[in-house]
Amino acid sequence: MNLIHRLREMRQNRFGAFVPVLLALAAIWVYFGLAVPLYEHWTNPDSESVRFIFLSARNIYNLFMQSAVIATLAVGITIVLLLGDIDLSAAATAGVCAALLGVLVLAGVPGWVACLMVMFVGIVMGAAQGMLVAYVGIPSFVVTLAGLLGYQGLMQKILPTGNLNVGDPFVRSIARILIPDLWGLAIAGLVVVAMVAVVLRRQAQRREKNLETDSALAVFPQVALFGILVFAVVLTLNSYRSLPLMILLLVALTSLVGWVTTSTPFGRAIFAVGGNPESARRVGIDVKRIRVAAFGIVGLLAAIGGIFGASRFGSVSYTAFAGGTLLLESIGAAVIGGTSLFGGRGSVWNAILGALVIGSLGNGLDLSGASAADKLMFSGGILILAVAIDALSRAETGGTGR
């Protein structure tokens, strides 16, 4: 039990919570970085050299782009998981918004206006489900399951043929625009500086309140590792093409949501409701409004995920959103990132890392020639492992869930 106790302490630490998912991601990259070249060598015996295909700059670029939609939805799903709820309709919501976007631009609506319209529609779709959960008292699993089925049908109504091309220049530019290399490095530097400023500010606030602060020897390696990872990602992307605007938008969006959840009264209320709804209600928190707002945020992020998907593929299809594995991958990314299914603990940044774990696993298995069945089984195994770790870490504290 000592190992479980240390794991629990690590996951409660702001920086330590990133360690398990980072180790999982590193293990997957090392394995496929070695295994995929061997597969290529055995299937191409005439090849004079063994290429590290999985770790190539081109594949890393594609991996980040493939994971962007999953990560966007996972960030939104994390919000409702923090409440101890679930949203099974996020992928279908993204599909409906993407389909509506395609119809609007085809009808002549300017791309940026269409994007704003579908984002508003996403908020309404999410908030409507939140009202049923908060004010009618229907469990979120039932409400969003009904939403999943209903939105799937709505998407089929919007797309009778199941597919629609999106050729609007504004929409397509979201995935096509690349940040110049020097600007990408400058942005990476600003991100690291912002990280340092946040850490110093937090340390100063804890000193003012006479709380224990982390030592410089504990903080410096964490900040240094963060800086190395940020610059490594940007340099890798630059070596193939450049930093994509869509990835930058995803990071900016996650930063905003992360700030809201950790540094505002609304964010603290989300954690309070997720930890103990009755106690939150007794201290004056409007639990019902918090739930509605949280589901509205999920709807907004689902709509943005739909926009990202339409931009990347240049089309909208039922299979890519509502009829595929997008929902399971998004929920899996949030859980693998360390967000508790019981509420009260998690991070939107970990959701992005979880999306990279899911994306890396699928990408590596594809390059290795694995079947779709293998991909589903491996993804299911990693997901159940993440949930088991969460359950064991809670059991160490005597928690029983909801």
Side-chain angles (χ1 to χ4, degrees):
M1 287 296 180
N2 184 53
L3 177 60
I4 297 175
H5 180 73
R6 293 182 62 183
L7 178 62
R8 176 179 60 83
E9 290 182 341
M10 178 182 294
R11 295 185 70 179
Q12 290 178 340
N13 180 273
R14 181 177 295 270
F15 294 103
F18 291 91
V19 173
V21 67
L22 280 176
L23 290 177
L25 186 61
I28 291 172
W29 281 28
V30 169
Y31 172 77
F32 285 117
L34 297 174
V36 172
L38 290 175
Y39 172 81
E40 286 293 314
H41 178 70
W42 284 110
T43 55
N44 298 280
D46 295 332
S47 176
E48 296 181 358
S49 62
V50 178
R51 297 178 299 160
F52 288 85
I53 298 175
F54 181 83
L55 296 179
S56 67
R58 176 179 180 178
N59 191 61
I60 297 299
Y61 178 93
N62 291 331
L63 174 60
F64 273 76
M65 295 296 283
Q66 291 167 4
S67 303
V69 177
I70 298 174
T72 306
L73 267 64
V75 169
I77 290 173
T78 297
I79 301 299
V80 293
L81 289 180
L82 290 175
L83 290 173
D85 290 317
I86 189 69
D87 190 344
L88 301 177
S89 67
T93 301
V96 170
C97 292
L100 183 59
L101 175 66
V103 171
L104 289 173
V105 297
L106 189 63
V109 178
W112 66 274
V113 176
C115 288
L116 292 177
M117 292 175 66
V118 301
M119 288 165 65
F120 176 76
V121 170
I123 294 174
V124 172
M125 293 171 68
Q129 295 185 121
M131 293 181 69
L132 291 174
V133 174
Y135 291 98
V136 180
I138 306 174
S140 59
F141 179 89
V142 177
V143 171
T144 58
L145 178 59
L148 165 65
L149 299 174
Y151 294 156
Q152 284 180 335
L154 179 58
M155 186 178 183
Q156 291 182 7
K157 287 287 187 180
I158 299 175
L159 300 178
T161 62
N163 187 73
L164 179 66
N165 292 328
V166 181
D168 181 81
F170 177 85
V171 176
R172 296 298 300 274
S173 66
I174 295 174
R176 290 184 173 182
I177 289 180
L178 299 173
I179 308 300
D181 291 359
L182 290 179
W183 279 101
L185 292 173
I187 291 172
L190 290 175
V191 169
V192 175
V193 170
M195 174 67 174
V196 173
V198 168
V199 171
L200 293 178
R201 180 172 177 269
R202 186 181 301 117
Q203 293 282 79
Q205 289 176 336
R206 294 185 67 85
R207 280 194 295 269
E208 291 176 359
K209 298 177 182 178
N210 294 321
L211 298 175
E212 183 180 357
T213 59
D214 297 326
S215 66
L217 291 177
V219 173
F220 177 77
Q222 297 168 346
V223 175
L225 176 61
F226 176 80
I228 291 172
L229 291 176
V230 169
F231 275 99
V233 168
V234 174
L235 289 172
T236 301
L237 296 176
N238 284 350
S239 66
Y240 174 59
R241 297 182 71 183
S242 286
L243 174 66
L245 174 63
M246 191 164 75
I247 301 301
L248 185 60
L249 291 175
L250 172 60
V251 172
L253 184 65
T254 306
S255 299
L256 176 61
V257 178
W259 174 78
V260 169
T261 56
T262 59
S263 303
T264 65
F266 173 75
R268 289 189 286 272
I270 288 178
F271 281 94
V273 173
N276 192 318
E278 182 60 25
S279 296
R281 185 187 64 79
R282 291 184 178 182
V283 299
I285 295 176
D286 193 331
V287 175
K288 294 181 179 179
R289 289 187 179 182
I290 292 296
R291 291 192 188 280
V292 173
F295 277 92
I297 292 174
V298 179
L300 172 61
L301 290 169
I304 294 174
I307 295 171
F308 284 174
S311 176
R312 180 173 177 268
F313 297 117
S315 64
V316 181
S317 68
Y318 178 82
T319 302
F321 289 97
T325 60
L326 179 59
L327 172 65
L328 299 179
E329 291 173 339
S330 301
I331 295 176
V335 175
I336 289 171
T339 300
S340 175
L341 289 171
F342 303 105
R345 187 179 71 226
S347 167
V348 294
W349 288 108
N350 280 22
I352 290 185
L353 293 176
L356 282 176
V357 169
I358 291 287
S360 299
L361 185 62
N363 181 276
L365 290 172
D366 284 338
L367 292 176
S368 300
S371 65
D374 293 331
K375 292 171 60 177
L376 290 173
M377 288 189 292
F378 274 101
S379 298
I382 290 182
L383 179 58
I384 198 66
L385 178 62
V387 176
I389 292 174
D390 176 54
L392 289 173
S393 63
R394 290 181 65 86
E396 177 71 11
T397 64
T400 59
R402 298 286 293 177

